[in-house]
């Protein structure tokens, strides 16, 4: 299928509609505790509404996204949006970056120059990549599936087809959140094109043989998993069972859509109690806008319904692999747990700062992790 250049150009009418809806927001009553334990506080969402309505400038933010070459193409009957930034280093290695929920390609804006032109940012040109960042089905400017079936394995196969269509016979793949799961699936499918994978949220089951001799990281991983199950996974249960019901509220209310997303940036970033300690308000709203403008609340949620209702195998992945473990990640693993699943584990590193949205929160650290991992595979 043809690859068509794409430029974000949101109609003025969509921005006018957004401002009208924001001006008519009906807020709930305030939470009863003086913290985030019942969800995102009313006071903060009122601040977000006022800033979004009166100060946020989408046109300038749109221009930031449009600085990168973007395209669309059809794969397996669905249109996909992707960013493609080629390095000036001609023999740079192709790299596929995949986002997750509630993220988007916005997460990668700060790392794209670092990955593609390392020599211009204090690095070595030998670490340069040609980078492809596709948008998941149902997210952002990609198409929305109209029939069931777009599960993780199908996305992984589509991403491999995309890289071949662009002209990259061999490539590396990296991802976090659902991007990590898609990246692992690319490794498991082992179609012969992907040469190695890196994940900043590798999903690995704890090794039962280690339960009597847990390391500090493994204890922290189990505690984090329990917290997630007990206090942080309600969104996942809703999106994996009734994404359509949820979608009506998200499609109708920009503040509802923003709250659904921004609470996770509080919980999952290494932010010392407030997401704006690590990301600007504009950056947070840029990401929300890719859900609101594209009416992607329901369609993005369906990746949970598709994937949770189509369990994948747990076979070991033999492709060269690497993992970077950030301390505020949702799910963490140890080297010995990871080695049970990734049998050719070339790189494993524990970081002292950073969270779930690693490329967004700590772009320099994320970039160096990617470079260090794939140096072992080039």
């Amino acid at each position: 299928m043809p690859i068509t250049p794409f430029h974000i150009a949101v109609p003025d009418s969509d921005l006018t509609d957004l401002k009208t809806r924001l001006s008519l927001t009906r807020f709930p009553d305030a939470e009863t505790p003086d913290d985030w334990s019942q969800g995102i506080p009313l006071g903060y969402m009122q601040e977000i509404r006022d800033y979004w309505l009166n100060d946020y400038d989408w046109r300038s933010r749109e221009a930031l996204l449009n600085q990168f070459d973007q395209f669309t193409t059809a794969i397996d009957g669905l249109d996909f949006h992707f960013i493609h930034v080629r390095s000036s280093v001609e023999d740079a290695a192709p790299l596929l970056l995949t986002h997750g929920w509630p993220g988007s390609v916005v997460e990668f804006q700060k790392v794209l120059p670092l990955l593609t032109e390392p020599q211009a940012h204090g690095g070595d040109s030998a670490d340069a990549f040609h980078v492809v960042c596709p948008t998941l089905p149902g997210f952002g400017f990609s198409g929305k599936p109209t029939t069931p079936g777009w599960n993780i394995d199908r996305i992984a196969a589509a991403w491999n087809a995309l890289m071949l269509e662009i002209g990259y016979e061999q490539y590396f793949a990296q991802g976090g959140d659902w991007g990590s799961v898609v990246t692992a699936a690319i490794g498991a499918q082992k179609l012969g094109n992907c040469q190695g994978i890196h994940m900043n949220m590798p999903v690995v089951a704890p090794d039962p043989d280690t339960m009597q001799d847990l390391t500090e990281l493994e204890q922290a991983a189990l505690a984090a998993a329990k917290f997630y199950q007990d206090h942080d996974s309600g969104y996942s249960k809703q999106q994996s069972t009734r994404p359509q019901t949820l979608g009506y509220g998200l499609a109708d209310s920009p503040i509802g859509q923003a709250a659904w997303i921004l609470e996770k940036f509080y919980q999952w970033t290494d932010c010392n109690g407030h997401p704006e300690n690590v990301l600007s308000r504009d950056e947070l709203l840029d990401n929300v806008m890719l859900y609101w403008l594209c009416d992607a609340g329901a369609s993005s949620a369906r990746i949970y319904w598709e994937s949770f209702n189509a369990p994948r195998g747990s076979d070991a992945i033999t492709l060269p692999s690497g993992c970077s473990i950030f301390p505020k990640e949702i799910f963490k693993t140890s080297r010995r747990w990871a080695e049970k699943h990734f049998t050719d584990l070339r790189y494993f590193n524990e970081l002292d700062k950073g969270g779930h949205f690693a490329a967004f929160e700590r772009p320099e650290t994320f970039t160096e992790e990617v470079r260090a991992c794939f140096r072992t595979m080039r």
Side-chain angles (χ1 to χ4, degrees):
M1 297 296 293
I3 293 176
T4 305
F6 179 84
H7 190 80
I8 302 171
V10 173
D12 287 339
S13 58
D14 288 0
L15 302 180
T16 300
D17 175 77
L18 170 60
K19 285 185 177 291
T20 299
R21 291 171 185 268
L22 288 171
S23 69
L24 295 172
T25 300
R26 185 175 74 165
F27 287 104
D29 57 314
E31 63 283 354
T32 52
D34 187 22
D35 56 30
W36 291 60
S37 60
Q38 288 186 349
I40 195 163
L42 172 63
Y44 182 49
M45 288 312 300
Q46 289 173 328
E47 290 180 27
I48 289 292
R49 191 281 302 269
D50 292 346
Y51 183 82
W52 203 357
L53 178 61
N54 300 312
D55 299 303
Y56 179 77
D57 179 12
W58 167 251
R59 290 304 180 200
S60 67
R61 310 306 294 181
E62 184 181 67
L64 283 177
L65 275 170
N66 280 330
Q67 70 182 296
F68 304 112
D69 291 336
Q70 299 169 77
F71 304 89
T72 59
T73 191
I75 300 172
D76 195 7
L78 191 67
D79 289 334
F80 286 99
H81 163 262
F82 63 97
I83 293 173
H84 181 201
V85 183
R86 283 189 59 85
S87 172
S88 64
V89 180
E90 192 57 37
D91 62 349
L95 174 64
L96 172 70
L97 291 182
T98 307
H99 68 87
W101 184 95
S104 66
V105 293
V106 165
E107 293 177 62
F108 300 125
Q109 286 186 96
K110 290 180 281 191
V111 302
L112 285 171
L114 305 179
L115 290 168
T116 55
E117 304 295 340
Q119 71 281 2
H121 301 277
D124 187 337
S125 61
D127 288 323
F129 297 97
H130 303 306
V131 182
V132 177
C133 301
T135 295
L136 289 166
F139 288 68
F141 297 102
S142 279
K144 299 175 182 179
T146 57
T147 56
W150 275 100
N151 57 31
I152 294 301
D153 288 326
R154 189 171 178 182
I155 296 169
W159 276 195
N160 191 76
L162 172 64
M163 295 302 278
L164 293 176
E165 189 172 309
I166 293 170
Y168 296 134
E169 294 288 333
Q170 294 186 333
Y171 62 91
F172 295 123
Q174 197 286 330
D177 193 83
W178 282 111
S180 173
V181 184
V182 171
T183 300
I186 291 171
Q189 289 177 350
K190 203 173 181 181
L191 299 177
N193 305 108
C194 183
Q195 303 301 295
I197 60 176
H198 174 266
M199 295 140 292
N200 53 288
M201 194 193 78
V203 180
V204 176
D207 181 0
D209 295 337
T210 64
M211 290 300 107
Q212 303 306 313
D213 180 30
L214 294 172
T215 67
E216 185 176 337
L217 173 59
E218 289 164 350
Q219 292 176 42
L222 292 177
K226 182 173 178 15
F227 176 85
Y228 177 82
Q229 184 63 37
D230 293 346
H231 303 289
D232 196 30
S233 58
Y235 79 97
S236 176
K237 190 67 172 176
Q238 181 67 29
Q239 295 193 155
S240 62
T241 56
R242 299 292 186 271
Q244 188 66 21
T245 302
L246 171 68
Y248 296 104
L250 300 184
D252 193 53
S253 168
I255 284 298
Q257 177 69 85
W260 191 247
I261 288 173
L262 293 180
E263 188 234 309
K264 298 310 175 192
F265 279 83
Y266 157 78
Q267 191 65 58
W268 296 345
T269 57
D270 192 358
C271 67
N272 195 29
H274 200 290
E276 291 180 28
N277 288 334
V278 292
L279 295 168
S280 72
R281 190 167 290 183
D282 280 342
E283 288 173 333
L284 291 167
L285 285 173
D286 291 346
N287 183 63
V288 170
M289 287 290 273
L290 262 63
Y291 287 80
W292 174 256
L293 293 171
C294 303
D295 190 13
S299 55
S300 64
R302 292 189 191 112
I303 194 171
Y304 288 79
W305 186 89
E306 291 283 2
S307 303
F308 283 36
N309 290 291
R312 301 181 58 252
S314 58
D315 293 344
I317 293 173
T318 61
L319 207 67
S321 304
C323 305
S324 296
I325 310 301
F326 288 85
K328 281 285 288 181
E329 186 53 86
I330 309 170
F331 304 116
K332 293 180 279 194
T333 187
S334 65
R335 176 185 285 272
R336 61 177 176 173
W337 291 357
E339 286 173 337
K340 287 291 186 78
H341 189 57
F342 304 103
T343 60
D344 187 5
L345 189 66
R346 304 282 184 91
Y347 183 82
F348 188 92
N349 192 28
E350 300 173 41
L351 288 304
D352 60 0
K353 290 183 180 180
H356 184 68
F357 304 94
F360 212 5
E361 297 175 56
R362 301 188 66 81
E364 291 83 7
T365 303
F366 172 86
T367 298
E368 186 49 45
E369 287 299 293
V370 172
R371 291 173 181 168
C373 174
F374 292 123
R375 282 184 201 128
T376 70
M377 305 176 195
R378 286 181 183 260

